[in-house]
Amino acid sequence: MDKILFSEQQILDRTQLIANQINQDYKDKQLTLIAILNGSVVFFADLIKKITIPMQIDCLGVSSYEGTKSTGNVVFRQNKLQDFTDRHILLVDDILDTGLTLKATTEKFLNETNALSVNSCVLLSRKNNKHKLLIPRYTAFEISNEFVVGYGLDYNEEFRNLPHIEIFR
Ligand code: IMP
Ligand code: MG
């Protein structure tokens, strides 16, 4: 049985469409993309190569999951952020489940920096979750309740290196 949910080529094609949209939406704006580590590294690297407008990058380590369950509290591995004066922030994450991680991270940027805007871009979002705490501006794919790994997504820090996204069993 095929466990592969999205192939590398499918992900790259969809990433190109999102990059095109970002190029339009942030034209003439000072943009900083923030990689939410560790999960977004693979998607982030592919996405930024397809962005053609001037931009900067930064990274922030954030965690909330152990195994296949959210711990319900969001831990930042770095406390002090740059001030990002006059810049527009786009947070990039692997998957939006409850939205807790991205909501807490968005609030951290709004409260602790001078950014002009804070939006988010996710590789995956769960379509059945009706109680999302945050709606991302860009979503590559919607998935159901299955736990997935690969392309940056982990189960206890493993499988991030798979070149596609597959269902974890
Ligand atoms: P949220 O805070 O509930 O939105 O959960 C988002 C975080 O949970 C992501 O950044 C992932 O680290 C993790 N996560 C949620 N679902 C999955 C999954 O199916 N596979 C791997 N990690 C997941
Ligand atoms: Mg994770």
Side-chain angles (χ1 to χ4, degrees):
M1 202 174 100
D2 195 5
K3 297 196 295 185
I4 296 182
L5 202 56
F6 303 110
S7 70
E8 185 170 23
Q9 194 55 54
Q10 275 178 298
I11 298 167
L12 289 173
D13 291 347
R14 190 68 191 110
T15 302
Q16 182 65 62
L17 297 179
I18 289 180
N20 296 347
Q21 197 63 55
I22 292 172
N23 289 334
Q24 273 183 37
D25 294 347
Y26 289 92
K27 184 159 80 71
D28 305 321
K29 291 183 171 154
Q30 297 192 76
L31 173 64
T32 300
L33 267 83
I34 309 284
I36 307 294
L37 303 178
N38 298 328
S40 79
V41 278
V42 182
F43 176 50
F44 190 82
D46 286 332
L47 178 65
I48 63 173
K49 284 181 281 180
K50 298 179 190 305
I51 293 179
T52 52
I53 55 172
M55 55 155 294
Q56 298 182 359
I57 65 166
D58 207 345
C59 302
L60 181 67
V62 184
S63 56
S64 68
Y65 255 63
E66 268 171 35
T68 62
K69 291 259 155 13
S70 174
T71 60
N73 73 336
V74 179
V75 179
F76 296 101
R77 261 176 268 147
Q78 172 197 336
N79 277 316
K80 189 86 181 74
L81 300 174
Q82 293 181 48
D83 66 31
F84 296 112
T85 302
D86 295 333
R87 303 199 65 86
H88 293 268
I89 299 294
L90 187 59
L91 306 173
V92 180
D93 206 357
D94 52 357
I95 178 166
L96 185 129
D97 186 358
T98 62
L100 184 69
T101 304
L102 274 174
K103 182 167 184 272
T105 309
T106 301
E107 280 168 4
K108 185 173 173 70
F109 275 83
L110 289 173
N111 294 335
E112 299 176 20
T113 76
N114 297 315
L116 293 176
S117 69
V118 183
N119 282 286
S120 45
C121 173
V122 296
L123 176 58
L124 303 173
S125 175
R126 285 195 200 282
K127 59 178 166 231
N128 296 341
N129 198 338
K130 301 272 182 282
H131 306 287
K132 288 191 187 112
L133 296 166
L134 177 138
I135 306 294
R137 185 164 187 185
Y138 310 97
T139 301
F141 300 101
E142 302 222 299
I143 63 166
S144 304
N145 291 330
E146 59 271 47
F147 193 85
V148 295
V149 294
Y151 218 80
L153 290 117
D154 72 304
Y155 170 72
N156 281 342
E157 296 302 326
E158 299 212 38
F159 309 108
R160 294 196 194 273
N161 55 315
L162 293 173
H164 52 253
I165 295 173
E166 65 176 49
I167 296 171
F168 176 75
R169 299 206 168 85

